[in-house]
Amino acid sequence: MLTILTGGTGGVKLIEGLTAEIDPAKLTIICNTADDCIFHGLYVSPDLDTVTYTLAGINDSAKGWGIKDDCFTVLEQLRRLGEPTWFKLGDKDLATHIMRSRLLHEGLSLARVTGEICDRLKVSAKILPMSDERVETRVGTTDGEISFQEYFVKERWSKAVISVRFEGIEQSRPAPGVIEAIRQASAVVICPSNPVTSIGPILAVPGIHAALVETKAPVVALSPIIGASAISGPAHKLMVAAGLEASAFGVAQAYAGVVDTIVIATADKQMKNRIEKLGIATVLSDIVMSDLAGKRRVAREVLALLEK
Ligand code: FO1
């Protein structure tokens, strides 16, 4: 079983490539849930949904989130009613949030709800939240502390970031199956996601970091950064706020002790020696996945690494 850690829209690109190369039933995908948010009274879990929709073949791959060919008539009416509509929830996407909110209200855990949604969308991979307990990324900015979605979507990551913290992390526990998926994995892959706000919360759930350090499985990570900038999104800005160098070396710093190998951009080859001094084997590659062919190419390279 291949165990994957992911979050955000960058991570899912590798998952798309992997599921085109191997049987998705062989994947267990552990998703960040610290981006989750309540909108219009509904529980929205962006990273679980992005992975679920992708594996169900219904994702909007152009945007990187939501359901393809969705429409926004409910949101338009909410706007007319004077409700905040900066977070674009499509009509089909809302169906997921309505069902998830009902099942959570009836007492099912987030993991059970995620499994139910996957069953109904005929997703064969196993998708797990990192935890069933509520963890929320809080972004400290010069204008006060805001949620991740307010930072990322409402403010379009324009505000200067002073701090990042994960509210509720101390009380969180790995969701059922998460530790086993790490311990029993043939290999673990950390997707090219934001190391601070997408992978960081997963590693911060008590027990998960230790399981990754102790697992006999090889742990391989892909850098989401080329040069000093993220391939997509604000990872470099959040890394600086978290005290990490905004570079592939900073990603290696974030994963030191956890990963055995990191795949970085060929353009960052001058960092190879510095990263290897952290005890992390470093592989150079073209890590940009701009289309399905690129996603499959990178996936094949990762799979080949795991067979070594
Ligand atoms: N990202 C945006 O930039 N704008 C949006 O309006 C937006 C809506 C949205 C709705 C559902 C969903 O699952 C994701 C959505 N996202 C949107 C992406 C979301 O902010 C990111 O997927 C993650 O939280 C970042 O890792």
Side-chain angles (χ1 to χ4, degrees):
M1 163 189 52
L2 190 53
T3 296
I4 316 270
L5 272 57
T6 190
T9 50
V12 80
K13 290 181 179 175
L14 178 61
I15 292 171
E16 263 187 283
L18 286 168
T19 51
E21 291 295 317
I22 61 174
D23 177 2
K26 290 180 180 170
L27 300 182
T28 296
I29 303 167
I30 300 168
C31 287
N32 169 45
T33 55
D35 288 359
D36 295 6
C37 227
I38 304 287
F39 288 104
H40 313 295
L42 299 172
Y43 189 92
V44 179
S45 194
D47 290 347
L48 283 169
D49 291 342
T50 298
V51 173
T52 303
Y53 293 158
T54 298
L55 294 179
I58 60 172
N59 64 306
D60 180 326
S61 54
K63 289 206 299 265
W65 46 266
I67 294 177
K68 66 184 167 196
D69 307 328
D70 209 344
C71 52
F72 295 81
T73 50
V74 172
L75 206 68
E76 183 47 35
Q77 185 60 20
L78 281 166
R79 187 186 62 77
R80 285 205 194 94
L81 289 168
E83 290 294 283
T85 56
W86 51 268
F87 197 74
K88 302 300 177 212
L89 291 162
D91 294 7
K92 294 177 187 171
D93 195 21
L94 281 165
T96 304
H97 313 317
I98 290 166
M99 177 183 154
R100 178 191 288 119
S101 302
R102 173 180 69 82
L103 292 175
L104 288 172
H105 183 69
E106 289 174 4
L108 268 68
S109 68
L110 184 57
R112 284 281 315 281
V113 172
T114 305
E116 192 60 36
I117 293 169
C118 284
D119 290 348
R120 303 201 193 172
L121 289 175
K122 305 205 179 345
V123 170
S124 56
K126 192 172 181 186
I127 302 176
L128 298 173
M130 65 187 197
S131 174
D132 281 332
E133 284 75 45
R134 184 83 178 88
V135 175
E136 186 183 359
T137 294
R138 299 293 296 165
V139 181
T141 76
T142 39
D143 301 328
E145 195 176 65
I146 53 180
S147 75
F148 179 80
Q149 299 303 347
E150 285 169 314
Y151 167 73
F152 182 72
V153 178
K154 190 178 183 185
E155 305 299 341
R156 300 190 182 286
W157 38 288
S158 60
K159 289 193 177 298
V161 180
I162 298 168
S163 63
V164 176
R165 69 184 182 90
F166 308 133
E167 190 166 300
I169 198 74
E170 295 79 10
Q171 292 73 35
S172 70
R173 287 165 292 152
V178 165
I179 298 299
E180 295 80 357
I182 294 170
R183 284 194 178 141
Q184 294 159 18
S186 56
V188 177
V189 176
I190 298 183
C191 284
S193 308
N194 183 323
V196 178
T197 54
S198 291
I199 304 299
I202 302 174
L203 300 183
V205 173
I208 292 183
H209 186 279
L212 285 164
V213 170
E214 291 154 14
T215 183
K216 291 183 179 37
V219 182
V220 177
L222 263 81
S223 170
I225 304 259
I226 298 180
S229 292
I231 295 169
S232 69
H236 50 295
K237 294 186 170 200
L238 293 155
M239 287 172 74
V240 171
L244 295 166
E245 185 179 299
S247 70
F249 178 78
V251 178
Q253 282 178 303
Y255 301 154
V258 166
V259 302
D260 304 300
T261 306
I262 188 168
V263 183
I264 67 173
T266 307
D268 287 331
K269 60 179 175 294
Q270 77 283 1
M271 288 184 192
K272 185 170 166 38
N273 293 338
R274 278 178 76 201
I275 294 174
E276 291 189 331
K277 285 199 179 81
L278 296 173
I280 301 174
T282 307
V283 172
L284 302 178
S285 174
D286 171 8
I287 55 174
V288 177
M289 295 178 273
S290 46
D291 55 15
L292 185 57
K295 295 167 186 172
R296 296 190 68 155
R297 173 181 50 76
V298 175
R300 281 196 301 275
E301 285 189 29
V302 170
L303 291 168
L305 264 179
L306 299 178
E307 268 136 38
K308 280 184 177 166

